[in-house]
Amino acid sequence: MTLSNGRHYLAIPGPSVMPDEVLAAMHQPAPNIYEGDIVTLMEGVTRDLKTIAGTTGQVALYGANGHGVWEASLANVAAPGDMVLVLSNGRFGMGWAEMAQGLGIETRILDCGMSAASDPARLEEALRADGDKRIKAVLVCHVDTSSGVLNDVAGLRTAMDAAGHPALLMVDCIASFACDRYEMDAWGADVTLAGSQKGLMTPPGMAMVWFNDRAAEVARGVKTSRYWDWTDRGNPEFPYQYFGGTTLTHHMFGLRKALDMIKAEGREAIWARHDTLANSYWAAIDAFGAGGSMRLNVPDRAHRSRAITSVALPNGQGERLRLWCSENLGVTLGIGLGRTPPHDYFRIGHMGHINAHMALGVVGVLEAGMLSLGIAHGKGATSAAAEVIASATRPLSQAAE
Amino acid sequence: MTLSNGRHYLAIPGPSVMPDEVLAAMHQPAPNIYEGDIVTLMEGVTRDLKTIAGTTGQVALYGANGHGVWEASLANVAAPGDMVLVLSNGRFGMGWAEMAQGLGIETRILDCGMSAASDPARLEEALRADGDKRIKAVLVCHVDTSSGVLNDVAGLRTAMDAAGHPALLMVDCIASFACDRYEMDAWGADVTLAGSQKGLMTPPGMAMVWFNDRAAEVARGVKTSRYWDWTDRGNPEFPYQYFGGTTLTHHMFGLRKALDMIKAEGREAIWARHDTLANSYWAAIDAFGAGGSMRLNVPDRAHRSRAITSVALPNGQGERLRLWCSENLGVTLGIGLGRTPPHDYFRIGHMGHINAHMALGVVGVLEAGMLSLGIAHGKGATSAAAEVIASATRPLSQAAE
Amino acid sequence: MTLSNGRHYLAIPGPSVMPDEVLAAMHQPAPNIYEGDIVTLMEGVTRDLKTIAGTTGQVALYGANGHGVWEASLANVAAPGDMVLVLSNGRFGMGWAEMAQGLGIETRILDCGMSAASDPARLEEALRADGDKRIKAVLVCHVDTSSGVLNDVAGLRTAMDAAGHPALLMVDCIASFACDRYEMDAWGADVTLAGSQKGLMTPPGMAMVWFNDRAAEVARGVKTSRYWDWTDRGNPEFPYQYFGGTTLTHHMFGLRKALDMIKAEGREAIWARHDTLANSYWAAIDAFGAGGSMRLNVPDRAHRSRAITSVALPNGQGERLRLWCSENLGVTLGIGLGRTPPHDYFRIGHMGHINAHMALGVVGVLEAGMLSLGIAHGKGATSAAAEVIASATRPLSQAAE
Amino acid sequence: MTLSNGRHYLAIPGPSVMPDEVLAAMHQPAPNIYEGDIVTLMEGVTRDLKTIAGTTGQVALYGANGHGVWEASLANVAAPGDMVLVLSNGRFGMGWAEMAQGLGIETRILDCGMSAASDPARLEEALRADGDKRIKAVLVCHVDTSSGVLNDVAGLRTAMDAAGHPALLMVDCIASFACDRYEMDAWGADVTLAGSQKGLMTPPGMAMVWFNDRAAEVARGVKTSRYWDWTDRGNPEFPYQYFGGTTLTHHMFGLRKALDMIKAEGREAIWARHDTLANSYWAAIDAFGAGGSMRLNVPDRAHRSRAITSVALPNGQGERLRLWCSENLGVTLGIGLGRTPPHDYFRIGHMGHINAHMALGVVGVLEAGMLSLGIAHGKGATSAAAEVIASATRPLSQAAE
């Protein structure tokens, strides 16, 4: 017997659950790419993407995954021999640094481990030490997908300003976009990166780079690639320039629908939904941990992502539990990517198309798994999670009862 | 803010959740109906349907919903002026009786309420009282969708045999088929009814009637409708006879895929999955009820369906909770169909494409709803449900720890 | 090598080509059937169906194929022992008569063969001969799918009026609906039948019966079936009454989309499109016939359907050509259903979702087939068809050139 | 009235018609990218891609459109300051040259116009003139999408060998792949490029680069980009390396299905189908041209692509006809991309999922359009095309009749 034969729930930190509406929107014949709907929808797509990012700057679209826009963003602002400073909180911060190195860019890395945010004070110190202003850009993941650490982008910008350093602030929002609150202009980011396959709820293969006038000015002096060049993509004269060649027609069909759903819900409402569901997970894991060794990876609540939760469960039990849930009850959790040892961790993606039923079901599944596997754990996890949800939804009149 | 913006879960007692694979199978161009795949797949479909029903008899397919096969089954075995005996455990038993009356068939009804199974002793008594054997058929719902009551079909057959009455035993398995254990031949049913949209996980609009040689023999003397006539449908010479006209092409594409999934899992495994998940719900509701007024509608565990659970929650709280779950957390429960008052009940469908994650999520949602609405309830419902699931999945080596 | 590996074109007289939009609309999760969108869309669906039929009467929907609504329509107006008069122009007229006989209704048949329309004078004569007005209804196919014969419904009504006979006029528009011009009220039809799978471009399994007040009045005295009873279906108090039980959810999703497409194009424009494309086929077949033995089945242009063209090609060449096109070039034509011998005929469906490219492609395929098979034929068929199309589309300014 | 309301046919030179099966395969939930089906299918995908290309080398997959793999291929073999020789037959040859320039690579261009193939003799001469062997690679489009010119890759390799030059031969097969015969190893190409959206019948956004050992050896000395680096992609140790980050999950679902279709038909059969259909188009256009000014762009039959046909129709009539077909009859043709003036040309894509019905329909549509617009043209085009098709399909026994 298996108890998994129903709708499987993919609760990994990306790709996320694609809404039926998005998949349906992609299930249509290929269109003419020179005229018609696929051309006219582009303007709305880019406008909506800028609204969600909180910027009046420009956005360039790419046929690429997230690693591709790591390179795209760098290729516009740094030439071989230039230097960037990378703030790392996990595997993906390190990956961006390696991508820079691959382009011949010199990197300096401030490694903050995998359970704490990047420290603005250390950033300020590092920039002050860069007397000849060689650092062209500071690279940071808003959320590192491997650790679920959330960085304080506004605080990092404040530190850069305090240091009086002209470097660009480039932020990888691939894991956090449309999940964790983000305000590109207000927080002082110059370049932002995201991909289709997480908060934007669209299959992998499309990614985007937002850039402001400061970044555009820097880019004017750097010409290392025609494909990655964001100039025409951000401000196209002809339709084919949006994607520097053939439009990603079906991705655009899907993304258009996803953006419609995002607009209908509203940016603040989406952030609030992710906040509530993340808090419900944290309450549940704390409850499990009260009677066992399960722990949230990030101790400081202020630096936890609302898109991803990394959970520690030692002695290889994290991996045992993850495999059990997948094989037996229809829930796939994320692996302990980049951890040592990897089997002592698992990750829960709660990004994009996720509601309370899906989250509460995962809590119940974790409890069933620990019962089945004999892993010690505290009671009342679902009640704790349900209380967070009830508090967020309880009408005032009810609260008084 | 809403916490429902993810995959909604339709947990009503039919239509059930359609697997992505089934919907995808239906998303294809219309085929030629005189030659090719749609013709060749019919034989396998009917063979598999007979296997699932546990019969060596025949099966007739209809373009119709469940109400349609109520009429189809009657039109083959009873003419105007004939009499049938209906055993009722809810709205659907009564509905079948009304359908018979509409055909001019005289009905006698043994009403057992909505919380208890039909009593074999009362059936035997009623048949013994039918001295001139006017009753041509005994009609019973294996499970009445409105109440979740499960009848003991084998026991009812034993009572009929004890009474020495020649009436046919006709069983409506619309709600229970491929969820609750059913053995048409072994249990002595002569006619069985089911529809596409519940355990068979395919959209509504297709239904079927199985019949054995005894029923076929009775039908030979009754000719009231060419459309409902099961003779050619059950044993077609030409492809169009399967559906007495145009084949339901897209339903067949979907049903073929659903049957593939059912075969891959296996009949016993499917029944065991439904049994475990139903038991997990019952444990959860008992836990909720220990601290409040929530109750299972059917006190006797032996007469509860594994496809549907009817839950009582008085003072209109059932309907309040149902609406809250739908509006806030993305779960749609079934209404208190046929109850007085209807708002004191709700129903949970757990039929077909359902796994532990989906069920445990509903338990968590119910808890959040009662917290939000201030409805008194006991603690530990998810733990109770998870324990049922863990017990069913725990390997022997673990059980010893 | 095969030259068929592209989009196959199913050019049979139903099921027709389902638009991608319709299939996509059906590819969605099952909805709640008691509340929400599926309930609210019903009113618009029935309103639109009445508009297309040209009636202010009512429409009843059924989970059934076309044969099902043959029985549904009869069961409402005629009881066993009643009499109907059937005008037949092919296999489907005869089929409706057999369905009546199955219900115990006495039938009289005016058979006009398979290449000519029903003669109003013969109808008038037959009604005048019915001195005691036993005939309760006159049954006629607007278009008989097997022959492509189109009847003059208004002319038949005039004949009935001239005879002063009170029988209902019941018209099977299954093949013609939303293809050939039809005006239920203006032409004096009392009952109209159609199915989902032809001009309505939705998979088989759903059908409908329109009826006016006269027919409703007759039905009040006839109660033979609760399932087929059109009273509540045509004027439902509760949502489940639309389908007398479970709603055909996915058919309704598809039909709603098909009706949107029909409304967007407009009834007159749809009839004009079918008229032009049918005329282009007739021109092509006349051209082929000028150099060989291919002939249109219906000599009189006024009695040819715009939805179906039946073509004669003697000595079994019809079937050879049909098979060749299907196996080699990706076009499936309809068989010579109901003909003697069947292999001397084939049929072309040009109903619903069909444009000039699809039709002209079939003409080219027929030519290639006859070339390949060595079947004698005239030249210039595509030019003749293209000329019909160009004439229908040529702007005035061009015509003057 | 419109005559386009049926299945529209997108007959542009890419994106091509996506088979229903491919779109359906992409319509499924996102999978886990670290384990399971999406990982195991990768090996088969790369193996099949190598088989189709006719190589025992390696293939690297990219999230990118065709322009992306122009850059990908260059970034592996040439560093800034290196030189490449570009053979151009249209807009896309020039585009590849511009992409090289964007990377800082020096380019020399042999421009052969837009109606003739690249001349091996001129290539040999150019290479002999490169005394210090600065040219690292020769770049050529197998077919230039803008002109439909087909180059003789084997002949170009012979010229390179004759010149004794060590440059790599890099071939852009984006337009021709799986349409025009291509044998990477046998013909001596070192690097081959293709995209998903033409002969591979999958939406745009995925592209691939095949490379042999010689090219891999050259690449070892060139490290300009980690993202484009083909080393790990071509020979991955971990699943994420196939795409250098997140797998293009849904593209892979679609491509897997497309490759299944290609394998089922067979490489030779696919080439033969494209050859026959292209020849049928050429015969039709010659027939049209016999009575007017329509001309095939490439006079030399040996240098015409079987995937794209470029057609000249002077005085802006090409564009008028193109627009008329799109607006009136449901066929979208390709624009005169890169021509002067562009409105004197249109292009027909006949790549991938195309059969005889689709092609013959286009011929008929062109004839209707010219009739409607008053454009002079010869008669008998469809007959000429049909004769080509009949000749290709006529069995020997028929030929003797």
Side-chain angles (χ1 to χ4, degrees):
Chain A
M1 181 189 63
T2 172
L3 296 174
S4 69
N5 277 2
R7 281 190 136 180
H8 285 241
Y9 174 31
L10 181 72
I12 66 174
S16 63
V17 173
M18 307 298 148
D20 289 324
E21 294 90 335
V22 169
L23 292 172
M26 296 181 70
H27 192 150
Q28 59 178 288
N32 190 359
I33 54 175
Y34 290 103
E35 301 163 336
D37 289 353
I38 198 71
V39 173
T40 53
L41 72 71
M42 295 302 300
E43 189 181 336
V45 164
T46 52
R47 183 176 58 240
D48 292 346
L49 286 171
K50 291 191 279 189
T51 300
I52 300 171
T55 185
T56 60
Q58 298 177 65
V59 63
L61 310 181
Y62 293 92
N65 56 18
H67 286 48
V69 287
W70 278 346
E71 180 153 323
S73 58
L74 291 164
N76 276 281
V77 301
D82 285 344
M83 176 183 284
V84 296
L85 175 64
V86 183
L87 311 183
S88 172
N89 316 90
R91 185 71 204 92
F92 289 84
M94 291 301 183
W96 201 1
E98 291 160 11
M99 195 66 68
Q101 292 156 7
L103 288 172
I105 299 167
E106 194 174 337
T107 59
R108 291 187 50 198
I109 299 175
L110 279 187
D111 185 353
C112 299
M114 291 185 70
S115 294
S118 294
D119 182 358
R122 286 182 63 192
L123 170 60
E124 184 177 339
E125 180 183 22
L127 292 176
R128 287 189 190 277
D130 180 35
D132 49 0
K133 313 294 191 211
R134 282 201 57 210
I135 296 171
K136 292 198 70 178
V138 173
L139 279 49
V140 66
C141 293
H142 186 211
V143 169
D144 195 294
T145 311
S146 65
S147 65
V149 169
L150 174 81
N151 281 302
D152 173 10
V153 173
L156 296 171
R157 163 51 66 189
T158 301
M160 292 174 71
D161 291 346
H165 196 287
L168 295 171
L169 177 57
M170 299 175 64
V171 185
D172 168 347
C173 290
I174 294 171
S176 64
F177 196 74
C179 302
D180 280 293
R181 178 180 294 275
Y182 184 72
E183 298 281 8
M184 176 171 168
D185 289 357
W187 291 358
D190 299 299
V191 174
T192 301
L193 282 58
S196 55
Q197 80 276 16
K198 304 203 179 186
L200 292 176
M201 309 180 290
T202 303
M206 210 222 112
M208 61 266 326
V209 178
W210 293 258
F211 55 99
N212 64 13
D213 288 348
R214 279 191 72 215
E217 180 59 33
V218 170
R220 258 171 229 118
V222 180
K223 290 291 166 207
T224 62
S225 155
R226 188 179 174 88
Y227 186 70
W228 295 129
D229 190 344
W230 65 32
T231 312
D232 293 343
R233 292 176 186 257
N235 189 23
E237 185 179 0
F238 303 107
Y240 76 87
Q241 294 176 318
Y242 274 110
F243 278 99
T246 303
T247 300
L248 268 68
T249 51
H250 289 70
H251 269 94
M252 295 314 296
F253 291 144
L255 183 59
R256 178 63 271 165
K257 175 57 72 175
L259 292 171
D260 289 343
M261 294 172 72
I262 288 171
K263 288 175 76 172
E265 183 171 0
R267 208 164 67 124
E268 290 288 342
I270 288 173
W271 292 337
R273 173 166 56 86
H274 281 84
D275 182 63
T276 299
L277 295 177
N279 271 277
S280 76
Y281 269 121
W282 304 341
I285 291 163
D286 283 344
F288 284 137
S293 52
M294 184 180 278
R295 293 287 180 274
L296 288 162
N297 174 54
V298 183
D300 183 349
R301 175 179 295 261
H303 291 295
R304 292 179 196 153
S305 166
R306 274 80 173 177
I308 299 162
T309 292
S310 172
V311 181
L313 191 58
N315 302 321
Q317 287 174 319
E319 180 69 356
R320 283 181 68 216
L321 179 57
R322 189 185 75 79
L323 289 173
W324 188 91
C325 294
S326 172
E327 289 171 9
N328 288 281
L329 303 195
V331 170
T332 302
L333 301 166
I335 59 173
L337 186 74
R339 309 310 294 235
T340 311
H343 287 184
D344 287 6
Y345 293 84
F346 64 88
R347 292 173 299 155
I348 307 169
H350 34 87
M351 42 175 52
H353 195 56
I354 171 165
N355 59 23
H357 173 251
M358 296 156 84
L360 289 166
V362 171
V363 174
V365 162
L366 291 174
E367 182 164 0
M370 289 190 283
L371 284 167
S372 180
L373 295 169
I375 298 173
H377 61 280
K379 294 292 175 191
T382 294
S383 296
E387 178 59 48
V388 171
I389 285 166
S391 298
T393 53
R394 189 175 298 158
L396 287 181
S397 60
Q398 297 295 336
E401 285 184 10
Chain B
M1 181 188 66
T2 173
L3 295 174
S4 69
N5 278 1
R7 282 190 135 179
H8 286 240
Y9 173 31
L10 182 72
I12 66 174
S16 63
V17 173
M18 306 298 147
D20 289 324
E21 294 89 336
V22 169
L23 292 172
M26 296 180 70
H27 192 151
Q28 60 177 287
N32 190 0
I33 53 176
Y34 291 103
E35 301 164 335
D37 290 353
I38 199 70
V39 173
T40 52
L41 72 71
M42 294 304 299
E43 189 180 337
V45 163
T46 52
R47 183 175 58 239
D48 292 345
L49 285 172
K50 291 191 279 189
T51 300
I52 300 172
T55 186
T56 59
Q58 297 177 66
V59 63
L61 310 181
Y62 293 92
N65 56 18
H67 286 49
V69 286
W70 277 346
E71 180 153 324
S73 57
L74 290 165
N76 276 282
V77 301
D82 285 344
M83 175 183 285
V84 295
L85 174 64
V86 183
L87 310 183
S88 173
N89 316 89
R91 184 71 203 90
F92 289 84
M94 291 301 182
W96 201 1
E98 291 160 12
M99 196 66 69
Q101 291 156 9
L103 287 172
I105 298 167
E106 194 173 338
T107 58
R108 289 186 54 197
I109 299 176
L110 280 187
D111 185 353
C112 299
M114 292 185 69
S115 293
S118 295
D119 182 358
R122 285 183 63 193
L123 170 60
E124 183 177 341
E125 179 182 23
L127 292 176
R128 286 187 190 277
D130 181 36
D132 49 359
K133 313 293 193 213
R134 282 199 58 209
I135 295 171
K136 292 198 70 177
V138 173
L139 279 50
V140 65
C141 293
H142 185 210
V143 169
D144 194 293
T145 311
S146 64
S147 64
V149 170
L150 173 81
N151 280 303
D152 172 10
V153 173
L156 296 171
R157 162 53 65 193
T158 301
M160 293 173 71
D161 291 345
H165 197 287
L168 296 172
L169 177 56
M170 299 175 64
V171 186
D172 168 347
C173 290
I174 295 172
S176 63
F177 196 73
C179 302
D180 280 293
R181 177 180 295 273
Y182 184 72
E183 298 282 9
M184 178 170 166
D185 289 356
W187 292 357
D190 298 300
V191 175
T192 301
L193 283 57
S196 55
Q197 80 276 16
K198 304 202 178 188
L200 291 176
M201 311 180 289
T202 304
M206 210 222 112
M208 60 268 325
V209 178
W210 294 256
F211 55 99
N212 64 14
D213 289 347
R214 278 192 71 217
E217 180 60 32
V218 170
R220 258 171 228 118
V222 179
K223 288 291 167 206
T224 63
S225 156
R226 189 179 174 88
Y227 187 70
W228 295 130
D229 191 343
W230 65 32
T231 313
D232 292 344
R233 292 176 186 256
N235 189 22
E237 184 180 0
F238 303 107
Y240 76 87
Q241 294 178 318
Y242 275 109
F243 279 98
T246 303
T247 299
L248 267 69
T249 51
H250 289 69
H251 268 95
M252 295 314 296
F253 289 145
L255 182 59
R256 178 63 270 164
K257 176 56 71 173
L259 292 171
D260 289 344
M261 295 171 72
I262 287 171
K263 288 174 76 172
E265 184 171 358
R267 207 164 67 126
E268 290 287 342
I270 287 174
W271 292 336
R273 173 165 55 85
H274 282 84
D275 181 64
T276 300
L277 295 177
N279 271 279
S280 76
Y281 269 122
W282 304 341
I285 290 164
D286 283 343
F288 284 138
S293 52
M294 184 180 278
R295 293 287 179 275
L296 289 162
N297 174 55
V298 182
D300 184 350
R301 175 180 293 262
H303 291 295
R304 293 180 195 152
S305 166
R306 274 79 174 176
I308 300 162
T309 294
S310 172
V311 181
L313 191 58
N315 302 320
Q317 287 175 319
E319 180 69 356
R320 284 180 68 214
L321 180 57
R322 189 185 76 79
L323 289 173
W324 188 92
C325 294
S326 172
E327 289 171 9
N328 288 280
L329 302 195
V331 171
T332 300
L333 301 167
I335 59 174
L337 186 74
R339 308 313 291 238
T340 312
H343 288 184
D344 286 7
Y345 292 85
F346 65 88
R347 292 172 299 155
I348 306 169
H350 33 88
M351 44 176 50
H353 195 55
I354 172 164
N355 60 24
H357 172 250
M358 297 157 84
L360 290 167
V362 170
V363 174
V365 162
L366 291 173
E367 182 165 2
M370 289 190 282
L371 285 166
S372 180
L373 294 169
I375 298 173
H377 61 281
K379 295 290 176 192
T382 295
S383 296
E387 178 59 48
V388 171
I389 287 166
S391 298
T393 53
R394 189 175 298 157
L396 286 181
S397 60
Q398 297 294 337
E401 285 183 11
Chain C
M1 182 190 61
T2 173
L3 295 174
S4 69
N5 278 1
R7 281 189 137 181
H8 286 241
Y9 173 31
L10 182 72
I12 65 173
S16 63
V17 173
M18 308 297 149
D20 289 325
E21 295 89 335
V22 168
L23 292 173
M26 296 181 69
H27 192 151
Q28 59 178 289
N32 190 359
I33 53 175
Y34 291 103
E35 300 164 335
D37 290 353
I38 198 70
V39 173
T40 53
L41 72 71
M42 294 303 300
E43 190 181 336
V45 164
T46 53
R47 184 176 54 240
D48 292 346
L49 285 172
K50 291 190 280 189
T51 299
I52 300 171
T55 186
T56 60
Q58 297 177 65
V59 62
L61 311 181
Y62 293 92
N65 56 19
H67 286 48
V69 286
W70 277 347
E71 179 153 325
S73 57
L74 291 164
N76 275 282
V77 301
D82 285 344
M83 175 184 283
V84 296
L85 174 64
V86 183
L87 311 183
S88 172
N89 315 89
R91 185 71 204 92
F92 289 85
M94 291 300 181
W96 200 1
E98 291 160 11
M99 194 66 69
Q101 291 155 7
L103 288 171
I105 299 167
E106 194 174 336
T107 59
R108 291 187 51 198
I109 298 176
L110 280 188
D111 185 353
C112 299
M114 291 185 70
S115 293
S118 295
D119 181 357
R122 286 183 64 193
L123 170 59
E124 184 178 339
E125 179 183 20
L127 292 176
R128 286 189 190 277
D130 180 35
D132 49 358
K133 312 295 192 210
R134 281 200 60 209
I135 296 171
K136 292 198 71 177
V138 173
L139 279 51
V140 66
C141 293
H142 186 211
V143 169
D144 194 295
T145 311
S146 64
S147 64
V149 170
L150 173 81
N151 281 301
D152 173 10
V153 173
L156 296 172
R157 162 53 65 189
T158 301
M160 293 174 71
D161 292 346
H165 197 288
L168 297 171
L169 177 56
M170 299 175 65
V171 186
D172 168 346
C173 291
I174 293 172
S176 64
F177 196 73
C179 302
D180 280 293
R181 178 180 294 274
Y182 184 71
E183 298 282 8
M184 177 171 168
D185 289 357
W187 292 357
D190 299 300
V191 175
T192 301
L193 282 57
S196 55
Q197 80 276 16
K198 304 203 178 185
L200 292 176
M201 309 180 291
T202 304
M206 210 221 112
M208 61 264 331
V209 178
W210 294 257
F211 55 100
N212 64 12
D213 289 348
R214 278 191 73 216
E217 180 59 32
V218 170
R220 259 171 227 117
V222 180
K223 290 290 166 208
T224 63
S225 154
R226 189 179 174 88
Y227 187 70
W228 295 129
D229 190 342
W230 64 33
T231 313
D232 292 344
R233 290 176 187 257
N235 189 23
E237 185 179 1
F238 303 107
Y240 76 87
Q241 293 177 319
Y242 275 109
F243 278 98
T246 302
T247 299
L248 267 68
T249 52
H250 289 69
H251 268 96
M252 295 314 296
F253 290 145
L255 182 60
R256 177 63 271 165
K257 175 58 70 177
L259 292 171
D260 289 344
M261 295 172 71
I262 287 171
K263 288 174 76 172
E265 184 171 359
R267 208 164 65 125
E268 289 288 342
I270 288 174
W271 292 335
R273 172 164 56 84
H274 282 83
D275 182 63
T276 300
L277 296 177
N279 271 278
S280 75
Y281 269 122
W282 305 340
I285 290 163
D286 283 343
F288 284 138
S293 51
M294 184 180 279
R295 294 287 180 274
L296 288 162
N297 174 55
V298 182
D300 184 349
R301 175 181 293 262
H303 291 295
R304 291 179 196 153
S305 167
R306 276 78 174 177
I308 299 161
T309 293
S310 172
V311 182
L313 192 57
N315 301 321
Q317 288 174 319
E319 179 69 356
R320 282 180 70 215
L321 180 56
R322 189 185 75 79
L323 289 173
W324 187 92
C325 294
S326 172
E327 288 170 10
N328 288 281
L329 302 195
V331 171
T332 301
L333 301 166
I335 59 174
L337 186 74
R339 308 311 293 236
T340 310
H343 287 183
D344 285 7
Y345 293 85
F346 64 87
R347 292 172 299 154
I348 307 170
H350 33 89
M351 43 175 53
H353 195 56
I354 170 162
N355 60 24
H357 172 252
M358 295 156 84
L360 290 167
V362 170
V363 175
V365 163
L366 291 174
E367 182 164 1
M370 289 189 284
L371 284 166
S372 180
L373 295 169
I375 298 173
H377 61 280
K379 294 290 175 192
T382 294
S383 297
E387 180 57 50
V388 171
I389 286 166
S391 298
T393 54
R394 189 176 298 157
L396 286 180
S397 60
Q398 297 295 336
E401 285 183 12
Chain D
M1 181 190 64
T2 173
L3 295 174
S4 70
N5 277 1
R7 283 190 136 180
H8 286 241
Y9 174 31
L10 181 73
I12 65 174
S16 63
V17 172
M18 307 298 147
D20 289 325
E21 293 90 335
V22 169
L23 291 173
M26 296 180 71
H27 192 151
Q28 60 177 287
N32 190 1
I33 54 176
Y34 290 103
E35 301 163 335
D37 290 352
I38 199 70
V39 173
T40 53
L41 73 71
M42 295 304 299
E43 189 180 336
V45 164
T46 52
R47 181 176 58 239
D48 292 344
L49 286 172
K50 291 191 280 189
T51 299
I52 301 171
T55 185
T56 59
Q58 298 177 64
V59 62
L61 310 181
Y62 293 92
N65 56 19
H67 285 49
V69 287
W70 277 347
E71 180 153 323
S73 58
L74 291 164
N76 276 283
V77 301
D82 284 345
M83 176 183 285
V84 296
L85 175 64
V86 182
L87 310 183
S88 173
N89 315 89
R91 185 69 204 91
F92 289 85
M94 291 301 181
W96 199 2
E98 292 160 11
M99 195 66 69
Q101 292 156 8
L103 288 171
I105 299 167
E106 195 174 336
T107 60
R108 291 186 52 200
I109 299 176
L110 279 187
D111 186 354
C112 299
M114 291 185 70
S115 295
S118 294
D119 181 358
R122 286 183 65 193
L123 170 60
E124 183 177 342
E125 179 183 23
L127 292 175
R128 288 190 188 278
D130 180 37
D132 49 0
K133 312 292 192 217
R134 280 201 58 211
I135 296 171
K136 293 197 69 177
V138 174
L139 279 50
V140 66
C141 292
H142 185 210
V143 170
D144 194 294
T145 312
S146 65
S147 64
V149 169
L150 173 81
N151 280 301
D152 173 11
V153 173
L156 296 171
R157 163 52 66 192
T158 301
M160 292 173 72
D161 291 347
H165 197 288
L168 296 171
L169 177 57
M170 298 174 65
V171 186
D172 169 347
C173 291
I174 294 172
S176 64
F177 196 74
C179 302
D180 280 293
R181 177 181 295 273
Y182 184 72
E183 299 280 9
M184 178 170 166
D185 289 357
W187 292 357
D190 299 300
V191 174
T192 301
L193 282 57
S196 53
Q197 80 275 16
K198 304 201 180 189
L200 292 176
M201 310 180 290
T202 305
M206 210 223 112
M208 60 259 343
V209 179
W210 293 256
F211 55 98
N212 65 12
D213 289 348
R214 277 192 71 217
E217 180 60 31
V218 170
R220 260 172 227 117
V222 180
K223 289 290 166 206
T224 64
S225 154
R226 188 180 175 87
Y227 186 70
W228 296 129
D229 190 343
W230 65 32
T231 313
D232 292 344
R233 291 176 187 257
N235 189 23
E237 184 179 1
F238 304 107
Y240 76 88
Q241 294 177 318
Y242 275 109
F243 279 98
T246 303
T247 299
L248 268 68
T249 51
H250 289 69
H251 268 96
M252 296 313 296
F253 290 145
L255 183 59
R256 177 64 269 166
K257 175 58 69 172
L259 293 171
D260 289 343
M261 294 171 72
I262 288 171
K263 288 174 76 172
E265 184 171 0
R267 209 163 66 125
E268 289 288 344
I270 288 174
W271 292 336
R273 172 166 55 85
H274 281 83
D275 182 64
T276 299
L277 296 177
N279 271 279
S280 76
Y281 269 121
W282 305 340
I285 290 163
D286 283 342
F288 283 137
S293 53
M294 186 180 278
R295 293 287 180 273
L296 289 163
N297 174 55
V298 181
D300 184 350
R301 176 180 292 261
H303 291 295
R304 293 178 196 154
S305 167
R306 275 80 173 174
I308 299 162
T309 293
S310 173
V311 181
L313 191 58
N315 303 318
Q317 288 175 319
E319 179 69 355
R320 283 180 70 215
L321 180 57
R322 189 185 75 80
L323 289 173
W324 188 93
C325 294
S326 172
E327 289 170 9
N328 288 281
L329 302 195
V331 170
T332 301
L333 301 166
I335 60 174
L337 186 74
R339 308 312 291 237
T340 310
H343 287 184
D344 287 6
Y345 293 86
F346 64 88
R347 292 172 298 155
I348 305 169
H350 33 89
M351 42 176 52
H353 195 56
I354 172 165
N355 61 25
H357 173 251
M358 297 157 83
L360 290 167
V362 170
V363 174
V365 163
L366 291 173
E367 182 163 3
M370 288 190 284
L371 285 166
S372 180
L373 294 169
I375 299 173
H377 61 280
K379 294 292 174 192
T382 295
S383 296
E387 179 57 49
V388 171
I389 287 166
S391 298
T393 53
R394 190 175 297 157
L396 286 181
S397 59
Q398 297 295 336
E401 286 185 10

